[in-house]
Amino acid sequence: EPEVTQTPSHQVTQMGQEVILRCVPISNHLYFYWYRQILGQKVEFLVSFYNNEISEKSEIFDDQFSVERPDGSNFTLKIRSTKLEDSAMYFCASSADRGLNQPQHFGDGTRLSIL
Amino acid sequence: AQSVAQPEDQVNVAEGNPLTVKCTYSVSGNPYLFWYVQYPNRGLQFLLKYITGDNLVKGSYGFEAEFNKSQTSFHLKKPSALVSDSALYFCAVRDEYGGSQGNLIFGKGTKLSVKP
């Protein structure tokens, strides 16, 4: 079964540094998402992306965050200047279309630790 | 505003017994409801969804969920629990009038522990 893959599985970064989290969505999917899960808390929506532009973003997704689909396969999340509170699991997801009945398929996540 | 509540942080069940993981939701329009399971150090795996039709929907690994519109609930059930079902379970919703482009609103999760 096709999977969403994320790299790295664990990223440790000094506060203030830039970090790029990478995702390869399922190949025929068109809609891409980033979510995060702070330890012990619920999964929170960050951003959705379609047709090379952001469709929707949450309040969490401020100017420090950006997303990009640099080629036909990768989907990246960049945090420009990391803060301690950015420490979380970051999940990438994709779906074949944005229909409300379509499940999103998630990767295994990147654990981001900010020191 | 859309929201999902999972009132139990943890559910403990003996293997072979039935299990229920509770979920209630709040949306302005018709709900699109989902259950996901998260095993340790893994991402969220889709279990099942309710869109319309029969209130009882069946999903992966023998799980099912019952939609109850009057109680705004979507409880996850399994007739006979397995130790391997032990994991974190998330209920999620989309709202047809929520204005979102498709993002999921998640509950805080319920840890299911099945003992032999």
Side-chain angles (χ1 to χ4, degrees):
Chain A
E1 185 175 327
E3 291 184 344
V4 175
T5 57
Q6 290 185 243
T7 56
S9 57
H10 191 190
Q11 174 78 46
V12 182
T13 301
Q14 292 288 330
M15 185 173 61
Q17 296 296 305
E18 175 183 285
V19 66
I20 297 176
L21 310 182
R22 303 182 191 280
C23 169
V24 179
I26 294 173
S27 63
N28 63 342
H29 284 187
L30 300 176
Y31 293 83
F32 314 115
Y33 309 84
W34 283 101
Y35 292 80
R36 80 172 185 191
Q37 184 183 28
I38 295 173
L39 185 64
Q41 298 186 25
K42 64 173 64 176
V43 178
E44 302 172 293
F45 168 74
L46 291 178
V47 66
S48 60
F49 190 87
Y50 169 70
N51 199 26
N52 285 319
E53 61 183 27
I54 291 173
S55 301
E56 187 176 15
K57 58 184 181 180
S58 71
E59 295 174 349
I60 303 168
F61 195 87
D62 62 23
D63 292 345
Q64 293 300 312
F65 291 87
S66 63
V67 289
E68 192 177 33
R69 189 157 162 82
D71 53 42
S73 60
N74 289 286
F75 178 50
T76 62
L77 174 69
K78 181 193 291 186
I79 308 175
R80 289 189 185 80
S81 179
T82 50
K83 302 184 286 289
L84 293 176
E85 54 265 38
D86 293 328
S87 296
M89 282 290 288
Y90 287 81
F91 293 107
C92 174
S94 69
S95 63
D97 64 53
R98 72 177 188 190
L100 292 174
N101 63 342
Q102 289 297 315
Q104 294 172 14
H105 299 267
F106 286 76
D108 285 344
T110 293
R111 181 174 299 281
L112 178 62
S113 299
I114 307 301
L115 305 179
Chain B
Q2 306 161 67
S3 66
V4 175
Q6 293 180 243
E8 304 151 317
D9 290 334
Q10 182 156 343
V11 170
N12 298 311
V13 178
E15 188 174 33
N17 283 359
L19 69 87
T20 299
V21 182
K22 295 179 180 177
C23 172
T24 59
Y25 64 89
S26 175
V27 297
S28 53
N30 288 319
Y32 293 74
L33 295 154
F34 302 81
W35 274 101
Y36 284 83
V37 60
Q38 185 182 31
Y39 296 100
N41 300 314
R42 299 298 303 276
L44 296 133
Q45 294 182 36
F46 169 71
L47 274 181
L48 51 78
K49 66 181 179 182
Y50 172 82
I51 305 304
T52 186
D54 288 341
N55 289 340
L56 187 66
V57 293
K58 296 187 182 298
S60 307
Y61 313 120
F63 283 93
E64 56 191 27
E66 186 170 12
F67 171 67
N68 187 316
K69 187 173 183 178
S70 63
Q71 296 185 4
T72 61
S73 67
F74 189 55
H75 300 331
L76 182 70
K77 301 181 179 184
K78 188 172 182 179
S80 179
L82 300 172
V83 172
S84 57
D85 292 330
S86 299
L88 195 55
Y89 289 81
F90 290 94
C91 182
V93 69
R94 286 181 181 139
D95 178 2
E96 66 170 346
Y97 297 136
S100 74
Q101 303 266 329
N103 58 292
L104 292 162
I105 305 299
F106 284 90
K108 63 179 174 63
T110 298
K111 183 179 179 180
L112 174 65
S113 178
V114 182
K115 301 295 186 186

